[in-house]
Amino acid sequence: MSNSKYELKPIEKKPLSLKISDSIYGYIQMNGLQPGDKLPSEREMSTMLQASRNSVREALRILEDRDLIEVRTGLGVFIKNPYGENSTFSIRLHNCTMEEIQELQSTLDHQAVKNAIERASVVEKKQLLSIASEMVKLSLEGIYSHILDHDFHHILYESGNNSAILQLVVKIREDRFVQQENSENGNDKIWLKTVPHHLQLAEAIMKCNLNSAISIIDEINEYGFQFSRSKRCSNRTM
């Protein structure tokens, strides 16, 4: 087991497998685990989460179905590379303001939406609708899932067939995930407000309505950055 600073925490019991998969996903992001890194054993995760090994195993199946992890019989559970980063090109940004990062993400997202409308298959567009519909259904019970949100945006970016946009915007989103997870409010139900927008975005993409799709994804991003700004301001006044 790695010397990670972020620990898995006990969670609510409903819906158990989805909540456990979200918790493990958060553990992966918060600890910056990379492809090939090994997760704690089922027994260790069961103890940390205070959940049965069967429930942990079911959650791992969800993550495996999402292609986020790989279960190797007799060896354990390992992180996969879900973004297909096979290029030797890399980039690191320094001393960027939140406003600059938001502008960069908006530019990338606008092109990603355009690419999805023009290049995504009907199957991929239907997947977006299906995932967004599932998110809405869960939201009516007050449930938000990082895994479903991850799936939605990954399909959106991947369907545009531009791996550079995919990798850059995913990195920005994951960095923001860690920032919000470090906040006192966590990174869960605060996102319920954005769930209907995901369904509207999927519908706009299906209808090839570029202006509407860009407007909707701007709303999703603005909410996230607005929350980040409010947390930054409140931390400064403490």
Side-chain angles (χ1 to χ4, degrees), residues 69-137:
I69 64 169
E70 179 182 7
V71 179
R72 301 176 189 171
T73 304
L75 295 177
V77 182
F78 296 83
I79 309 302
K80 287 190 69 175
N81 187 347
Y83 306 126
E85 297 175 4
N86 55 6
S87 172
T88 57
F89 173 78
S90 64
I91 185 170
R92 184 180 296 273
L93 301 177
H94 297 280
N95 302 321
C96 297
T97 66
M98 190 176 298
E99 288 72 23
E100 290 170 337
I101 294 297
Q102 181 175 5
E103 184 175 336
L104 173 59
Q105 182 173 342
S106 294
T107 301
L108 293 169
D109 272 325
H110 290 181
Q111 188 62 47
V113 165
K114 182 176 183 294
N115 289 348
I117 287 175
E118 296 176 351
R119 304 173 186 174
S121 67
V122 173
V123 171
E124 288 170 324
K125 291 179 180 179
K126 287 183 176 179
Q127 285 179 315
L128 289 175
L129 281 172
S130 177
I131 293 171
S133 297
E134 188 175 353
M135 291 174 68
V136 169
K137 182 179 178 180

Side-chain angles (χ1 to χ4, degrees), residues 163-217:
S163 61
I165 290 177
L166 170 65
Q167 292 173 55
L168 283 171
V169 78
V170 162
K171 178 59 178 173
I172 293 172
R173 285 176 52 81
E174 298 300 352
D175 284 348
R176 286 173 54 202
F177 176 96
V178 171
Q179 291 170 12
Q180 253 106 51
E181 191 67 33
N182 280 328
S183 76
E184 62 183 19
N185 289 336
N187 191 23
D188 194 356
K189 292 186 178 181
I190 57 170
W191 299 113
L192 283 172
K193 185 176 179 181
T194 69
V195 170
H197 296 316
H198 286 71
L199 182 57
Q200 294 166 10
L201 177 58
E203 291 172 340
I205 291 173
M206 178 63 78
K207 296 176 182 177
C208 298
N209 189 330
L210 178 59
N211 290 335
S212 178
I214 286 177
S215 176
I216 294 165
I217 202 163

